[in-house]
Amino acid sequence: MMDDYTLPFWIYLGVVTVFVGGAMKRIVASHLSAAPTLVAWLGATVLVERLWAFCLPAVLLLALLAFACCLYSARTGPPPTNLPAHGKAVFITGCDSGFGKATAKHLDSLGFEVFATVLDLTGDGARDLQRTCSSRLTLLQVDITQPQQVHQALLDTKAKLGLQGLWGLVNNAGVCVNFGDAELSLMSNFRGCMEVNFFGTLSVTKSFLPLLRHNKGRIVNISSPAGDQPFPCLAAYGASKAALNLFTNTLRHELEPWGVQVSTILPSSYRTGRSSNRAYWDQQHKQLLQSLSPALLDEYGEDYVTEIKDLFHSYASQASTDLSPVVQAIVQALLAPQPRPRYYAGPGVGLMYFIHSYCPFSLSSWLLQRLFVKKKLKPRALRKEGLEINLNLLNNNNEEKLQ
């Protein structure tokens, strides 16, 4: 029976096999949760079974897949033991609150010597770190957009470390200073996001790289899925994180000969900083309305801008307050013998990237629009246009009836 099939047929089957095998490898590497992984395996099995039904029994195919799973499990074996934290120094930016503050506390409890930067040494975050952490933790007041402050932090860190060297750099400091359509966002918002999220991180990384190369240490950059996927109303923030992601990936290749490992953390939605503060969103909303020209505000409508503000506040208030997945991902990136290039920290991120990588772009885009900021209103000009079209259609129908 198999002699009846031509060479192109077998080439086609070979291409399908390579595709499915590559997909399985990406799925396993993505470290998705059990349910999506199982669904993906079953889906791939059904796909191959439908294509090969006339030349390979489905039972045999399942047996082959099970055998491949066994081989993979046997090859990977038990996870290797993490490196010891004792005697290792880590520099963390943006520790006033959120991921930075939680990470500084946890790393200090593990025995790291932590250098934590804050914007305000007298603020609540700094006082909390001083009160709850050991004497090993050093607080430094640093605005990463100010080169002089970054350089001074480097001098202070080197002075305290001496010959010990720096093991890890965690670039956590970041801002999201805009919400709304790209046309509605000020140029200062785009520049503000780039200044902190990209240029500030770049400045810190370049300054501390000699210390990291000396120790063959680790760089961990906290990024966002918005840097890879087109989240609505986050153009300024997403563009800055996209620049950070590309820089991180390039740095990973360049530092490999030096023995420095570079990882990206991609968190899901978490309630950090001022994100759940209604007063913060009201202030952002007020500033946005004041900055828009009368013509642009008329075309979009104040109710359209207000709806976006309410949606962002609602989304942020429902975000998780348990920051432990992100903190644990940072620990793994610092202490795993072979850290991953990317860590998906939090529920749904791995699945989101799987859909983004393997499903049609239209599906990924539709999910982002439906799950992130679920707008109900159109811009006012489009609503007027739609109303005029409906009125014209109604008038035409009435004229046809009269005729």
Side-chain angles (χ1 to χ4, degrees):
M1 176 181 175
M2 292 189 181
D3 294 338
D4 297 335
Y5 301 115
T6 61
L7 180 61
F9 170 79
W10 292 111
I11 293 175
Y12 175 71
L13 288 183
V15 170
V16 171
T17 304
V18 171
F19 171 79
V20 174
M24 292 302 98
K25 182 179 179 182
R26 290 283 295 274
I27 292 167
V28 174
S30 296
H31 296 272
L32 305 179
S33 61
T37 306
L38 179 60
V39 171
W41 274 96
L42 291 176
T45 302
V46 172
L47 171 65
V48 178
E49 191 273 334
R50 297 299 297 172
L51 291 172
W52 288 8
F54 40 86
C55 59
L56 274 180
V59 175
L60 177 59
L61 180 61
L62 288 171
L64 289 173
L65 287 175
F67 181 68
C69 289
C70 293
L71 285 180
Y72 179 83
S73 300
R75 182 175 64 83
T76 55
T81 305
N82 281 348
L83 302 174
H86 181 72
K88 290 181 170 61
V90 177
F91 188 93
I92 312 173
T93 63
C95 296
D96 297 87
S97 62
F99 300 141
K101 180 181 171 184
T103 301
K105 284 186 175 185
H106 187 68
L107 294 185
D108 177 75
S109 70
L110 293 178
F112 279 97
E113 183 174 359
V114 177
F115 294 83
T117 76
V118 293
L119 286 173
D120 184 5
L121 282 175
T122 62
D124 293 339
R127 288 200 299 266
D128 185 43
L129 287 173
Q130 287 177 324
R131 184 175 62 253
T132 58
C133 294
S134 71
S135 58
R136 291 189 305 273
L137 183 133
T138 302
L139 282 175
L140 300 169
Q141 184 165 318
V142 180
D143 180 347
I144 65 172
T145 66
Q146 303 299 316
Q148 302 88 345
Q149 295 186 26
V150 173
H151 181 66
Q152 186 59 52
L154 174 64
L155 295 178
D156 294 340
T157 303
K158 290 172 67 174
K160 187 163 185 181
L161 286 177
L163 299 176
Q164 177 185 349
L166 187 68
W167 171 255
L169 168 63
V170 180
N171 286 308
N172 166 74
V175 295
C176 179
V177 295
N178 83 299
F179 68 91
D181 298 43
E183 188 178 12
L184 301 177
S185 301
L186 297 173
M187 285 301 297
S188 59
N189 289 339
F190 284 88
R191 292 191 178 97
C193 283
M194 289 296 295
E195 194 64 36
V196 177
N197 299 341
F198 178 67
F199 288 113
T201 299
L202 174 63
S203 174
V204 173
T205 302
K206 285 175 63 67
S207 298
F208 283 82
L209 255 178
L211 297 182
L212 294 163
R213 286 191 288 102
H214 178 266
N215 257 17
K216 296 184 177 181
R218 308 286 173 86
I219 297 175
V220 183
N221 289 340
I222 314 300
S223 187
S224 167
D228 294 316
Q229 304 180 42
F231 280 78
C233 302
L234 285 181
Y237 178 72
S240 66
K241 290 298 187 179
L244 176 62
N245 288 348
L246 184 58
F247 168 66
T248 304
N249 292 336
T250 304
L251 200 63
R252 183 181 302 112
H253 295 298
E254 294 176 348
L255 294 180
E256 185 178 359
W258 294 92
V260 177
Q261 305 277 359
V262 183
S263 297
T264 301
I265 310 294
L266 297 161
S268 60
S269 178
Y270 290 95
R271 196 185 309 175
T272 60
R274 298 172 294 179
S275 62
S276 60
N277 187 339
R278 177 171 287 277
Y280 167 75
W281 293 111
D282 289 340
Q283 180 187 16
Q284 293 289 310
H285 175 248
K286 182 179 179 181
Q287 290 177 351
L288 179 58
L289 290 178
Q290 292 174 345
S291 68
L292 296 178
S293 67
L296 193 59
L297 182 59
D298 181 65
E299 289 195 342
Y300 276 90
E302 186 173 336
D303 56 348
Y304 178 84
V305 180
T306 301
E307 183 194 42
I308 293 177
K309 182 260 295 185
D310 292 337
L311 288 171
F312 263 81
H313 176 261
S314 174
Y315 185 83
S317 63
Q318 295 172 12
S320 174
T321 57
D322 179 15
L323 308 183
S324 59
V326 178
V327 175
Q328 290 302 322
I330 295 172
V331 171
Q332 286 298 310
L334 289 172
L335 293 180
Q338 293 296 327
R340 304 177 208 158
R342 285 189 159 199
Y343 288 86
Y344 302 128
V349 184
L351 181 59
M352 181 192 305
Y353 271 88
F354 175 78
I355 294 173
H356 178 71
S357 300
Y358 295 107
C359 294
F361 176 79
S362 57
L363 175 61
S364 175
S365 181
W366 179 82
L367 284 173
L368 285 178
Q369 293 174 5
R370 299 301 299 173
L371 298 178
F372 180 55
V373 178
K374 295 172 281 189
K375 299 179 186 177
K376 295 181 180 179
L377 290 177
K378 289 184 178 180
R380 180 185 293 166
L382 297 180
R383 280 176 271 163
K384 289 181 179 179
E385 184 179 297
L387 181 60
E388 291 175 358
I389 292 174
N390 290 334
L391 288 174
N392 289 334
L393 289 174
L394 182 61
N395 292 333
N396 291 336
N397 290 336
N398 290 335
E399 290 175 2
E400 290 176 0
K401 288 178 181 179
L402 291 174
Q403 292 174 357

